Amino acid sequence: MERPEYKRVILKLSGEALAGDQGYGIDPNVIHSIAEELKEVLKMDVEMAIVVGGGNIWRGMAGSAKGMDRATADYMGMLATVMNSLALQDALESVGVPTRVQTSIEMRQVAEPYIRRRAIRHLEKGRVVIFASGTGNPYFSTDTTAALRAAEIEADVILMAKNKVDGVYTADPSQNPDAVKYNSLTYLDMLNQGLGVMDSTASSLCMDNDIPLVVFNLDTKGNIRRVILGEQIGTVVRGNI
């Protein structure tokens, strides 16, 4: 059996990654492909938790920019993450992967409330745990949720799966052809240069708790497995290099 580099991981998926080429909503083919890939990873006895965004359904910042109350817009975004989480749970269980969704906002008819010890127990039993509805508070992103949950469950790493980009660059590669990709950098570098990989709250939380981050391309099949095996793909962000 191949030896994974990380034992307990948090996979951060953007909502847009679940939309596929259509750009909005949920593409069942994309979710099924992710589920199949995760199934293979779990065979290596990796403990997998997932934080998924909601940008494919609703973006709180966009609603706020158009005059909606920011807290209301953010709560709507949290509900969007629950929809994505339930879709991902269904896809995982359809390929035989036991999965639990835990929400920061209680909705017991569809998911468990978030309880740290219960989440850890699920992971120890080989179940995938999906953390939905962010932190349960407005003004905090799902990036911050990933950092917070990683600290709480003592995850070895956060895997930030991106679509259409394969790491962290000095500038947006889609707009600047001279942008250079980083193989590694520190959270402090990322904050000082305003690289926008994750928001400053999430970056600071990861830096303070010494949680490494790997930014990689989700579009390439097998990349989740490669990252967990320790292959040098994407960009690694650490507290210190």
Side-chain angles (χ1 to χ4, degrees):
M1 180 183 291
E2 294 174 296
R3 187 182 297 275
E5 181 78 11
Y6 309 106
K7 173 63 175 173
R8 179 177 292 171
V9 306
I10 284 208
L11 175 64
K12 171 61 173 65
L13 293 172
S14 67
E16 290 87 343
L18 306 185
D21 293 334
Q22 61 193 20
Y24 63 90
I26 299 169
D27 185 333
N29 293 326
V30 170
I31 289 192
H32 183 75
S33 176
I34 293 171
E36 289 283 7
E37 192 165 343
L38 293 179
K39 180 181 180 180
E40 293 304 309
V41 168
L42 292 166
K43 290 178 181 177
M44 298 187 291
D45 292 330
V46 172
E47 296 176 3
M48 175 73 66
I50 302 172
V51 173
V52 62
N56 56 320
I57 299 171
W58 175 259
R59 298 192 71 87
M61 289 292 287
S64 177
K66 293 180 179 179
M68 180 177 285
D69 176 74
R70 173 65 189 275
T72 299
D74 281 357
Y75 279 122
M76 290 173 65
M78 292 177 213
L79 297 179
T81 71
V82 176
M83 294 172 68
N84 283 338
S85 297
L86 293 176
L88 193 54
Q89 178 187 39
D90 181 76
L92 284 163
E93 295 199 328
S94 74
V95 297
V97 177
T99 308
R100 299 291 184 271
V101 175
Q102 291 197 343
T103 59
S104 301
I105 301 172
E106 285 200 27
M107 43 189 81
R108 292 177 182 268
Q109 285 85 349
V110 297
E112 299 177 359
Y114 171 67
I115 299 172
R116 174 179 170 270
R117 287 180 178 272
R118 182 180 289 179
I120 292 172
R121 187 62 178 145
H122 285 321
L123 293 171
E124 290 172 345
K125 288 187 174 183
R127 299 166 183 152
V128 171
V129 181
I130 304 174
F131 298 122
S133 66
T135 65
N137 303 289
Y139 300 97
F140 291 93
S141 70
T142 49
D143 286 349
T144 300
T145 304
L148 176 62
R149 297 290 181 252
E152 287 183 294
I153 68 171
E154 299 180 351
D156 298 325
V157 68
I158 298 173
L159 307 181
M160 182 167 282
K162 296 282 190 180
N163 49 338
K164 301 177 182 176
V165 64
D166 62 348
V168 182
Y169 284 77
T170 53
D172 187 343
S174 65
Q175 298 180 10
N176 185 349
D178 296 324
V180 178
K181 178 184 166 186
Y182 291 103
N183 288 324
S184 62
L185 74 162
T186 68
Y187 284 108
L188 203 55
D189 290 336
M190 197 167 72
L191 287 167
N192 289 338
Q193 296 176 40
L195 295 176
V197 180
M198 59 187 345
D199 62 74
S200 58
T201 304
S203 299
S204 297
L205 194 53
C206 287
M207 183 169 60
D208 292 345
N209 291 278
D210 197 24
I211 304 167
L213 171 76
V214 182
V215 183
F216 68 100
N217 188 357
L218 182 65
D219 297 333
T220 304
K221 190 172 178 61
N223 265 0
I224 298 175
R225 180 174 170 276
R226 293 186 190 99
V227 171
I228 288 176
L229 287 173
E231 289 188 28
Q232 180 58 56
I233 63 172
T235 302
V236 180
V237 187
R238 299 183 184 276
N240 293 293
I241 294 180

